[in-house]
Every structure is written in structure tokens, then in C-alpha cells.
Amino acid sequence: MRIFSGIKPTGDSTLGNYSGGFRQYVATQELGDATFCIVDLHAITVPYDPADLHSRTLDLFSMLIATGLDPERTTVFAQSHVTAHAEASWLLSAVAGYGQLGRMTQFKEKGGEQEFVASALFNYPVLMAGDILLYQADIVPIGDDQRQHLELARDIAERFNSRFGEIFTVPNGFYPEVGARIMSLQDPAAKMGKTGSSEQGTVRMLDAPDAILKKFKTAVTDSGREVRKADDKPGISNLIDIMSVATGSTPAQIEAEYGDAGYGTFKVAVGEAVVALLEPIRERYVELRSDEGELLRLLALGADKARATSAPTLERMYETMGFVRARDGA
Ligand code: TYM
């Protein structure tokens, strides 16, 4: 089984990224040949500061290790270190529909907010499809917000396979049963995101314990007082999901334990569980982040492995598409 996923080095990672991303990466690295990519090329699709991109790439790499990836065993690398990604993106744009790209929710949301919309933002899902297809991934651990992009990657793979030749594995999304979409603590209708959502509603992986506790204490809850998952209780449902992510208990177990406790007590308990989850991660992170030499060594190791894995697929893409290869006459 081949596993691939990517995460953007934009903004500070959140508890949402932990739920749909980090913890799933760690779980799936046990299932087979796993590759995880810091998608720095994706980070330039919205306005950004070059100095920030530089430090955030190392921050995110440290966080991937701190949450449990083993870079000696699993391939963990930066996208820009492997030029196959940029190449695959261009080649696949021949089978990516303009209309379909324009219908992507994230493009419409992010593009709609800005005066200047980079063409890179429009092409973003093609680059993402290339990321996945280059590694012939069977499963792609992601959160719910990436579902549409994953469907597009599947369409692109199928279109390429039928137009040029069966060279790509058609990937499947791998979503957590609970916590595929963690919502803002201040607005249960909005996704908890690295950028865009309110700071008070967003729990960051590196937030200090007292800041985390405060965010949970002031979390918006619904009318009523029973701790129970329900469609008309998005605030409390979100907190139950977070509690489940932090402790490993199922939502049903949590409802049984806190059903009559009242919202105030439950909010404090969730805050404490999240602090207990994140504290050891934060400690490991601080230690890892302080040794840039070691981070760069491990990134180079990951890049070598990723280049070796992706190169044969890229070569087959060029060949099936009819390109004359430089070595053809040699
Ligand atoms: P990114 O960097 O926005 O997010 C990384 C992962 O975190 C998940 N996630 C969430 N899960 C649950 N609740 C939330 N509130 C939440 N917020 C974020 C995301 O679903 C994602 O799995 N386009 C991708 C990066 C990418 C990629 C790829 C992913 C590029 N190429 C190839 C998979 C395969 C993105 O922006 O993720």
C-alpha cells in the first residue's frame, strides 16, 4: 500500500491540521510505503512573505517529526526539492478542465476575497493531483476540506489513463471517522483554519496551555445544557469531536461520561485534554526546531528518496505523452 499526503507551510498549524493531517500521517505510516510532503510550491498561490515561507517550511518539518513521523523510515520532504512536481503539474494541466477548476470551492472562497488573484491559485489542484499521482498513491489521508481536490485528482488520473495509457493508480481519500472537519471554537459554522478564522476560535499546535484553556472556556456553545451530539448543536458537537481526537474515546463514550455535566464543566475538561495532548508535542518541537543543521540533513534525505520514487512515473508520463526524450538517441 502506498500512502501520500501534503501540508502547506502557511500560518501556524492548528488543531484542525492535527485532526485531519498530522495524526492520520502517523497512523498511516504504519500501513505501508508512506510519503509526506511539505507543499511549499502550494504556499505561493496566495500573497506571502518570502522570509516567512523559509522559516515556516522548517517549522512545519519540525512539527511533522514532533507529532510522530520518523523521517529516517518514512519519506518526508519539501516539494520544491523535487522538480518532478512542477513538471507533472504542467503535463497534467493538459487533461485538467478549465471549467472544473473554476468550480473548486477553495478557489472561489480564497479568490473571492482578494483583489489580485494569482493564476497559481486557479492551477493549485493540478499541482496537488501531480503530487499524489507521481507516487502512485493508493490512499491519501486528508481532512474533509480536501475532498473536492481529491475527487479532481481522481478525474485527472482517469482522464490521463484513458487518453494516453494506464499509468496512474487512481487514489482514494482517507478521512478520519471523527474530526474530519474541526470547526472554529467561536463560529461552529466556519472551519478552523490556519488563516482566515478568528484567533480566539483557532487552537494552534504551539499555543501556550493557558491560552488553550482560555479559548475553550470562551468557546461558543448552543442553547440547552446536555453534552450530546446533534445537528442543532454544532458548537457542542465540535467540542465532542475535539475531545475524541484528544483522548481517543468515542463520541458515545464522551456523551456517556459528560452527558449531565453541563457545558461549563465540559469545556474545561476538553481544554485540559487538548493541553495534555499538545504539551509533549510542543516540547519535542522546540528541541527539534533548534537544530537547523539536522533538519536540513533530514530534508535532503527525504528529497533523495522522493526523487527516486517519483522519477520513473514522471518518465512514463513524458513517454506516453509522446515527448522525444534527450536520452533517446544516446
Ligand atoms: P492544508 O495545508 O490546508 O491542511 C493540511 C491537512 O489538514 C487538514 N485540515 C483539517 N482537518 C480537519 N479539520 C480542519 N479544520 C482542518 N483544516 C485542515 C486538511 O484537510 C489537510 O489534510 N491542498 C492541501 C495540501 C496538499 C495535499 C497534496 C494534500 C497539497 N498537495 C496532496 C494531500 C495530497 C492543503 O492545503 O492542506
Side-chain angles (χ1 to χ4, degrees):
M1 171 114 85
R2 282 178 303 266
I3 300 111
F4 182 94
S5 196
I7 180 166
K8 281 193 310 272
T10 49
D12 292 328
S13 307
T14 70
L15 191 59
N17 295 128
Y18 179 79
S19 184
F22 298 114
R23 74 182 169 128
Q24 291 218 93
Y25 308 155
V26 176
T28 52
Q29 87 177 326
E30 309 300 331
L31 301 178
D33 255 339
T35 305
F36 299 104
C37 181
I38 299 166
V39 293
D40 49 2
L41 297 175
H42 279 90
I44 65 168
T45 57
V46 290
Y48 78 101
D49 174 357
D52 266 0
L53 175 61
H54 195 271
S55 57
R56 287 191 189 287
T57 301
L58 296 173
D59 294 349
L60 183 55
F61 188 50
S62 309
M63 186 56 78
L64 287 163
I65 304 172
T67 47
L69 288 184
D70 173 359
E72 303 273 359
R73 181 166 61 116
T74 297
T75 303
V76 190
F77 73 105
Q79 191 181 28
S80 64
H81 293 178
V82 182
T83 54
H85 291 255
E87 294 177 69
S89 168
W90 180 254
L91 297 182
L92 292 175
S93 68
V95 289
Y98 178 85
Q100 197 176 14
L101 288 176
R103 285 193 294 277
M104 291 293 117
T105 311
Q106 287 210 350
F107 171 69
K108 287 193 280 188
E109 279 174 8
K110 289 190 179 165
E113 290 164 9
Q114 292 161 224
E115 213 169 278
F116 172 81
V117 180
S119 63
L121 187 66
F122 182 75
N123 289 316
Y124 175 116
V126 186
L127 180 61
M128 176 164 162
D131 298 340
I132 299 166
L133 301 181
L134 275 173
Y135 296 83
Q136 303 286 355
D138 300 294
I139 62 167
V140 182
I142 42 177
D144 195 53
D145 62 337
Q146 297 302 317
R147 195 179 286 271
Q148 201 185 23
H149 291 159
L150 196 273
E151 289 305 319
L152 182 75
R154 289 171 56 89
D155 286 352
I156 288 177
E158 282 165 359
R159 209 168 297 130
F160 188 102
N161 283 350
S162 66
R163 167 83 177 79
F164 297 111
E166 294 279 329
I167 72 168
F168 290 129
T169 305
V170 181
N172 286 300
F174 184 88
Y175 305 93
E177 248 170 67
V178 177
R181 183 178 283 266
I182 297 294
M183 310 308 277
S184 162
L185 299 185
Q186 288 298 313
D187 176 7
K191 184 185 73 172
M192 184 187 286
K194 277 186 285 225
T195 51
S197 53
S198 93
E199 207 39 53
Q200 191 60 18
T202 308
V203 179
R204 310 265 171 198
M205 297 293 286
L206 296 173
D207 274 349
D210 54 338
I212 295 176
L213 291 173
K214 199 162 160 215
K215 286 178 182 178
F216 279 97
K217 274 188 192 145
T218 57
V220 169
T221 36
D222 321 283
S223 58
R225 70 181 289 280
E226 238 183 61
V227 176
R228 172 172 64 78
K229 276 193 92 155
D231 286 347
D232 63 345
K233 292 181 161 193
I236 212 73
S237 296
N238 189 40
L239 290 174
I240 292 174
D241 285 353
I242 292 173
M243 189 64 154
S244 171
V245 169
T247 61
S249 301
T250 64
Q253 286 167 334
I254 293 162
E255 286 174 26
E257 188 175 347
Y258 293 96
D260 303 321
Y263 289 169
T265 310
F266 185 57
K267 286 199 274 190
V268 172
V270 182
E272 285 170 353
V274 170
V275 168
L277 169 77
L278 295 183
E279 258 314 90
I281 294 175
R282 194 161 69 109
E283 279 168 21
R284 279 198 297 277
Y285 170 91
V286 170
E287 201 186 315
L288 289 157
R289 186 63 181 90
S290 68
D291 190 350
E292 283 206 11
E294 176 64 359
L295 294 174
L296 293 172
R297 181 188 78 79
L298 290 169
L299 273 175
L301 180 80
D304 284 343
K305 289 194 277 183
R307 267 185 223 112
T309 311
S310 58
T313 296
L314 183 67
E315 188 55 34
R316 287 183 73 195
M317 289 172 72
Y318 278 118
E319 282 169 5
T320 23
M321 291 180 86
F323 289 92
V324 173
R325 305 304 288 146
R327 59 165 174 70
D328 279 357

